[in-house]
């Protein structure tokens, strides 16, 4: 039993969850120094979809954003979310590129790298763990938490032990779909604390309405750190409110020691941002409520809205319930993958096709084929060989670590970036992850630098989620 530590998410996951990652540097800057004075264990400030949103919608260099935050927050550990072999993009990248990205992230100010894989395939994390350790960063490995016949306490404990053996400095229970209940959180934390020696952190969302209760039971069970968000940008699809969690444990053996008056300075700025985002339409009041369907169908909030949108486009909105029932079936067929980027999109889209075509797997997406073939790694449960053959035909399944099939690509990427765009070494990594978006961003940046009036991101794009 000891003091509870807090990771504040307002600069990354809170706005990714509520306003599709559209918080600009201008909105962040006034709260950086006040945040630094609070005394958080860490602040999550980078990674996830922030990189994509910066160059696609905000015309901001994500590397410069990190440097500005680091300069203004010298006393707080800065944390990022990283998709292992997927880096911050949408495919698997070669090991040398992964190592280079980790090196540059740490050099620009990152202290803690939270590494996860959508399938919980440890082979997709090992290069990132080694790279983080080599650079002197804290490597936190995340369990993508989900529910299924194979995802039980024993599975999660075994996974956490394998992460610890691979060099993880701490373990995070990453409950991206808000599925963890208070007593499940208590039991899982108790078992993890019995079986591993490194600290345990809980990351959960408020979508199902259970987050604060889950945090209390996890803390009583011995969790070391929890993720929260400043109250004006908490709740709904975001996280439990920081100030409420701090207040809940005041005067107890778990007291965080954080000062509510200092938090109030940050809260006042976040309250103005909330009003601004509600007024300009970036913040939809719908995402601020509780959606218990998350527990019923185990479908994250963002995935629900995607399914509705796909059915609307096909003029089949009346088949929404059928699609929701089809999602678990597709998930079972494909080895029970946790529903998180990119598997949530892959499983959801295939479920939509199965329903609207009137025949299951009559049409199969390229991504679903890739998932079943093994292009994303090993699924939590084995896929039936007959089903695999039905989906991929005579294509050869991939049973090795997918990145083992990739040639080194740092030098290849460096050669691809036009010389007039290359202003910093980090631009090679931006180009590698977002080859379609990076050229437009680099062109705008160059125009700005030379006084040419570069157009800002199309305003109508600003309301579309990444």
């Amino acid at each position: 039993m000891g003091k509870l530590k807090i990771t504040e998410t307002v600069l990354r996951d809170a706005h990714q969850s509520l306003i599709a990652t559209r918080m600009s540097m201008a909105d962040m800057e006034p709260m950086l120094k006040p945040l630094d004075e609070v005394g958080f264990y860490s602040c999550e400030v980078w990674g996830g979809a922030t990189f994509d949103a910066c160059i696609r919608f905000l015309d901001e260099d994500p590397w410069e954003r990190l440097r500005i935050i680091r300069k203004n927050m010298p006393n707080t550990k800065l944390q990022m979310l990283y998709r292992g072999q997927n880096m911050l993009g949408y495919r698997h990248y070669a090991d040398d590129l992964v190592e280079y990205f980790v090196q540059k992230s740490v050099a620009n100010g990152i202290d803690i790298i939270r590494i996860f894989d959508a399938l919980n395939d440890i082979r997709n994390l090992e290069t990132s763990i080694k790279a983080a350790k080599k650079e002197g960063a804290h490597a936190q490995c995340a369990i993508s938490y989900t529910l299924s016949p194979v995802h039980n306490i024993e599975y999660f404990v075994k996974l956490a032990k394998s992460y610890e053996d691979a060099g993880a400095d701490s373990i995070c229970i990453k409950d991206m779909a808000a599925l963890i209940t208070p007593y499940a959180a208590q039991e899982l934390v108790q078992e993890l604390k019995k079986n591993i020696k490194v600290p345990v952190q809980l990351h959960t969302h408020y979508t199902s309405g259970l987050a604060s209760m889950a945090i209390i039971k996890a803390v009583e069970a011995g969790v070391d750190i929890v993720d929260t968000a400043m109250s004006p940008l908490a709740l709904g699809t975001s996280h439990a409110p920081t100030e409420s969690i701090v207040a809940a444990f005041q005067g107890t053996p778990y007291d965080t020691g954080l000062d509510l008056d200092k938090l109030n300075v940050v809260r006042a700025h976040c309250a103005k941002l909330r009003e601004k985002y509600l007024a300009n339409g970036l913040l939809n009041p719908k995402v601020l409520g509780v959606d218990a369907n998350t527990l019923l169908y185990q479908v994250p909030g963002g995935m629900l809205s995607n399914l509705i949108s796909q059915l609307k486009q096909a003029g089949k909105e009346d088949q929404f319930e059928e699609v929701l029932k089809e999602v678990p079936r597709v998930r079972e067929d494909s080895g029970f993958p946790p529903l998180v980027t990119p598997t949530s999109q892959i499983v959801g889209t295939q479920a939509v096709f199965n329903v609207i075509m009137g025949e299951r797997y009559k049409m199969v997406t390229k991504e679903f084929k890739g998932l079943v073939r093994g292009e994303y790694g090993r699924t939590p449960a084995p896929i039936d060989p007959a089903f695999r053959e039905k989906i991929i035909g005579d294509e050869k399944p991939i049973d090795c670590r997918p990145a083992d099939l990739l040639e080194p690509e740092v030098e290849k990427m460096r050669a691809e970036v036009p010389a007039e765009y290359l202003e910093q070494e980090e631009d090679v990594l931006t180009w590698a992850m977002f080859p379609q978006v990076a050229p437009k961003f680099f062109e705008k940046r160059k125009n700005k630098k030379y006084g040419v009036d570069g157009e800002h991101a199309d305003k109508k794009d600003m309301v579309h989620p990444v």
Side-chain angles (χ1 to χ4, degrees):
M1 190 189 294
K3 188 171 102 165
L4 175 65
K5 299 182 178 82
I6 302 276
T7 291
E8 173 55 58
T9 66
V10 74
L11 297 177
R12 205 286 296 178
D13 203 359
H15 71 96
Q16 179 169 322
S17 300
L18 293 178
I19 60 164
T21 334
R22 298 297 198 277
M23 190 186 287
S24 67
M25 199 63 238
D27 285 348
M28 289 178 188
E29 227 161 338
M31 65 173 140
L32 298 181
K33 284 192 164 69
L35 275 168
D36 193 44
E37 287 168 13
V38 172
F40 291 113
Y41 166 72
S42 68
C43 278
E44 194 197 38
V45 301
W46 212 58
T50 58
F51 206 100
D52 189 340
C54 274
I55 63 169
R56 195 184 296 267
F57 301 113
L58 300 173
D59 291 347
E60 288 182 16
D61 181 353
W63 298 100
E64 185 57 22
R65 169 180 286 197
L66 177 54
R67 289 189 285 265
I68 292 168
I69 295 171
R70 175 78 285 169
K71 187 181 169 191
N72 285 278
M73 298 183 68
N75 305 304
T76 307
K77 288 178 192 162
L78 301 186
Q79 185 166 322
M80 74 173 289
L81 182 69
Y82 192 61
R83 291 199 288 269
Q85 217 65 37
N86 280 126
M87 303 204 317
L88 302 178
Y90 303 101
R91 66 172 175 89
H92 277 228
Y93 298 89
D95 287 339
D96 66 332
L97 210 58
V98 170
E99 288 160 357
Y100 194 40
F101 192 99
V102 170
Q103 182 198 327
K104 287 296 180 190
S105 299
V106 176
N108 282 280
I110 289 294
D111 300 295
I112 301 170
I113 304 180
R114 179 178 289 170
I115 312 160
F116 81 100
D117 178 66
L119 298 177
N120 287 324
D121 185 344
I122 189 169
R123 300 173 306 168
N124 294 334
L125 304 182
E126 285 165 341
T127 300
S128 302
I129 296 168
K130 284 177 194 153
K133 307 279 280 187
K134 185 184 171 192
E135 297 305 320
H138 177 113
Q140 181 178 84
C141 289
I143 293 164
S144 294
Y145 182 84
T146 188
L147 304 172
S148 83
V150 297
H151 292 93
N152 52 29
I153 295 284
E154 189 186 1
Y155 169 92
F156 290 129
V157 170
K158 188 178 172 190
L159 184 64
K161 284 172 87 168
S162 71
Y163 287 170
E164 185 180 34
D165 291 344
D169 296 305
S170 62
I171 303 296
C172 175
I173 303 161
K174 179 178 163 57
D175 176 29
M176 57 281 167
L179 297 175
I180 205 161
T181 62
Y183 292 98
Q186 181 182 40
E187 188 185 0
L188 179 52
V189 170
Q190 277 171 345
E191 289 306 308
L192 288 174
K193 295 298 286 184
K194 272 186 216 164
N195 287 279
I196 60 172
K197 295 182 176 68
V198 297
V200 176
Q201 183 156 0
L202 175 62
H203 167 96
T204 184
H205 289 254
Y206 219 94
T207 324
S208 61
L210 295 173
S212 294
M213 293 180 272
I215 285 172
I216 284 181
K217 296 310 283 182
V219 170
E220 289 173 351
V223 86
D224 299 279
I225 316 154
V226 297
D227 286 13
T228 61
M230 292 304 302
S231 58
L233 294 170
L235 306 176
T237 48
S238 180
H239 310 278
T242 303
E243 306 94 306
S244 308
I245 296 299
V246 168
F249 293 107
Q250 275 184 335
T252 74
Y254 314 105
D255 198 320
T256 64
L258 300 184
D259 185 334
L260 285 170
D261 288 331
K262 285 182 178 176
L263 283 168
N264 200 35
V265 176
V266 185
R267 193 209 67 82
H269 178 69
C270 291
K272 287 180 200 161
L273 293 182
R274 178 189 167 102
E275 293 309 311
K276 173 184 167 180
Y277 299 147
L278 282 166
N280 67 13
L282 270 182
L283 180 54
N284 184 333
K286 278 184 187 170
V287 302
L288 296 170
V290 165
D291 187 352
N293 270 345
T294 296
L295 297 167
L296 201 56
Y297 300 110
Q298 298 176 31
V299 170
M303 187 177 165
L304 273 177
S305 51
N306 275 346
L307 294 178
I308 293 165
S309 161
Q310 287 174 332
L311 287 168
K312 254 186 193 167
Q313 285 168 13
K316 305 271 187 180
E317 283 172 271
D318 57 321
Q319 294 182 303
F320 181 56
E321 285 293 323
E322 284 173 67
V323 169
L324 284 179
K325 286 173 187 160
E326 178 64 6
V327 167
R329 293 196 285 258
V330 173
R331 195 171 161 238
E332 182 175 358
D333 291 339
S334 55
F336 291 110
L339 297 177
V340 62
T341 303
T343 48
S344 50
Q345 293 90 325
I346 295 170
V347 169
T349 302
Q350 189 57 52
V352 168
F353 276 126
N354 285 2
V355 169
I356 65 177
M357 299 301 291
E359 185 187 324
R360 303 186 78 221
Y361 305 111
K362 184 178 182 180
M363 183 186 281
V364 180
T365 69
K366 174 173 158 279
E367 291 76 16
F368 188 75
K369 227 177 230 184
L371 176 64
V372 171
R373 185 171 172 241
E375 286 173 21
Y376 296 89
R378 190 190 292 127
T379 52
I383 294 172
D384 178 352
F387 178 76
R388 187 185 254 188
E389 193 181 331
K390 176 185 174 179
I391 299 301
I392 70 171
D394 54 9
E395 283 186 50
K396 193 173 181 293
I398 295 171
D399 293 318
C400 65
R401 182 183 75 120
D404 287 341
L405 305 173
L406 300 174
E407 294 292 324
E409 50 183 335
V410 170
E411 292 312 318
K412 179 174 166 270
M413 291 298 164
R414 187 175 277 116
E416 272 184 25
V417 186
E420 72 267 21
Y421 288 157
L422 204 58
E423 291 185 10
Q424 56 185 351
E425 270 296 305
E426 291 82 355
D427 290 341
V428 174
L429 291 157
T430 305
W431 181 278
M433 289 189 296
F434 301 101
Q436 275 79 46
V437 187
K440 296 172 199 162
F441 167 69
F442 289 152
E443 184 65 30
K444 284 176 185 170
R445 185 179 67 178
K446 186 171 69 118
N447 289 342
K448 235 181 251 178
K449 190 177 175 184
Y450 293 107
V452 181
D453 187 21
E455 275 183 6
H456 198 276
D458 190 343
K459 285 288 184 278
K460 73 177 189 298
D461 283 344
M462 299 294 281
V463 294
H464 295 167
V466 173

